[in-house]
Amino acid sequence: MEAQITSPRVPENRSRLIASNFGWIALDTAVGFGISLAASIALARVLGPVKLGYYSYLMWVANMTGTIALFGVPMATRKYVAECLGRGEKDVVKAIIDATARFQGIMALAVVGVGEVLIRVAVAPENRLWAAVGVASLLPGMLLSIPTAANMAAQEFGRNVKASLISSVCNLTGVTLTLLLHWDLLGLAGSLLVSRSVDLCVRYYGYRQWYRTLLRGIHHQPLPEELKKRLWRFCLQAGALQIVNAVVWDRSELFFLKQLSSIEQVAFYSLAFNITQHLLLIPQIFATAAGAN
């Protein structure tokens, strides 16, 4: 009977589950696109291209660093947890999640710590406070990657989307207050930090609900050596692919634009491609919904 446990929910109709996952991701994508579009236009009009350019460039550098520092660990977590759930290997599921979450936590602290030091050294004094807050937002952003991957592996897409929607509303509220009360770039960075922290708390709570139910009574054990080698190999391959994707798709040309053009050009370019990147998510919706199966 143990081998029949495929996930916290055992669906009789796989196509219905995939359709449900598709609906959740489509909702998240649509809401995220709408909020991002509205916020970007409002910020461009109120802050102006110079401030928006500095903010866009710094956050691009921070997010690019955070993405590369993930080393493909969330992808590996989703893949191997899904496989082990399908085989009913609960003890291995717990070992994978514990190991990857511990590694990701160490990397998040290291990246944010180094980033804060670099801000003190390389950023102009008038920009250091909001830049430090913006870099601090990487910590919850990186920490939520493992609960997100675990939820996807368990096909609990709704838990991720609910957290994302709450976070989007928090960020939109923060941006609105920033524009109305003239909190400037510090308000934007603070809004991002708060929204990501809320996202982490809500997503982690949802993840722990099924995690505790499914793995009740399972004691911690180290990863099997053979599986550990497979995980590391997968992470190295996925990490290399992430670097390529970051160079090709994540606006790496912003670095050269910043060096060779004015900061206003960085703002105009970022605004247009923020919209484009959200549109590129549409073709990925079905693949993501089906992937955990």
Side-chain angles (χ1 to χ4, degrees):
M1 292 299 293
E2 184 71 11
Q4 296 176 7
I5 300 178
T6 57
S7 77
R9 299 178 298 165
V10 184
E12 296 180 0
N13 190 329
R14 289 286 173 180
S15 61
R16 183 178 302 171
L17 179 59
I18 294 174
S20 173
N21 294 340
F22 178 87
W24 280 115
I25 301 173
L27 174 63
D28 190 22
T29 302
V31 172
F33 174 73
I35 290 179
S36 176
L37 179 62
S40 297
I41 294 174
L43 288 173
R45 288 184 175 275
V46 175
L47 293 181
V50 175
K51 289 183 178 179
L52 186 61
Y54 282 118
Y55 180 79
S56 299
Y57 182 73
L58 181 71
M59 294 312 302
W60 168 78
V61 172
N63 290 327
M64 175 80 81
T65 304
T67 298
I68 294 175
L70 291 175
F71 285 117
V73 173
M75 296 173 62
T77 303
R78 183 179 69 171
K79 170 182 167 60
Y80 287 100
V81 168
E83 289 182 2
C84 293
L85 284 173
R87 292 193 293 264
E89 298 173 350
K90 295 182 181 181
D91 53 340
V92 182
V93 169
K94 181 174 175 58
I96 292 173
I97 293 178
D98 290 349
T100 54
R102 184 167 54 251
F103 175 82
Q104 205 68 86
I106 294 172
M107 287 303 303
L109 291 173
V111 168
V112 172
V114 172
E116 298 293 354
V117 171
L118 291 177
I119 285 173
R120 297 290 300 175
V121 174
V123 175
E126 64 271 16
N127 293 325
R128 284 177 185 168
L129 181 56
W130 68 261
V133 175
V135 170
S137 70
L138 282 178
L139 183 61
M142 293 181 67
L143 290 178
L144 64 80
S145 62
I146 298 303
T148 299
N151 283 340
M152 294 176 71
Q155 309 217 53
E156 295 284 351
F157 282 70
R159 299 185 187 275
N160 286 342
V161 174
K162 291 173 185 176
S164 179
L165 294 178
I166 294 172
S167 171
S168 296
V169 171
C170 288
N171 192 39
L172 181 61
T173 302
V175 170
T176 302
L177 291 175
T178 295
L179 298 179
L180 292 177
L181 301 177
H182 306 288
W183 289 343
D184 213 47
L185 297 180
L186 179 59
L188 283 185
S191 174
L192 184 63
L193 175 60
V194 170
S195 64
R196 285 183 174 178
S197 299
V198 170
D199 192 344
L200 172 62
C201 292
V202 176
R203 202 172 300 222
Y204 185 79
Y205 175 77
Y207 143 75
R208 290 296 298 182
Q209 282 186 314
W210 71 258
Y211 180 86
R212 284 196 301 264
T213 301
L214 181 70
L215 304 181
R216 183 179 290 115
I218 304 297
H219 299 291
H220 173 75
Q221 65 174 16
L223 275 173
E225 284 300 320
E226 190 273 335
L227 179 58
K228 184 183 296 186
K229 293 179 181 178
R230 289 168 56 200
L231 271 169
W232 274 113
R233 184 166 59 249
F234 184 91
C235 288
L236 290 174
Q237 295 169 348
L241 185 60
Q242 278 187 320
I243 293 175
V244 174
N245 285 335
V247 172
V248 176
W249 294 110
D250 287 348
R251 299 176 295 163
S252 59
E253 58 274 13
L254 271 178
F255 174 79
F256 300 99
L257 192 63
K258 171 68 166 56
Q259 310 306 316
L260 303 175
S261 301
S262 65
I263 196 65
E264 291 89 346
Q265 296 300 315
V266 173
F268 291 133
Y269 186 86
S270 297
L271 182 61
F273 275 83
N274 277 340
I275 298 172
T276 304
Q277 281 190 314
H278 277 85
L279 293 176
L280 287 174
L281 294 176
I282 296 175
Q284 302 176 18
I285 294 175
F286 183 79
T288 304
N293 283 276

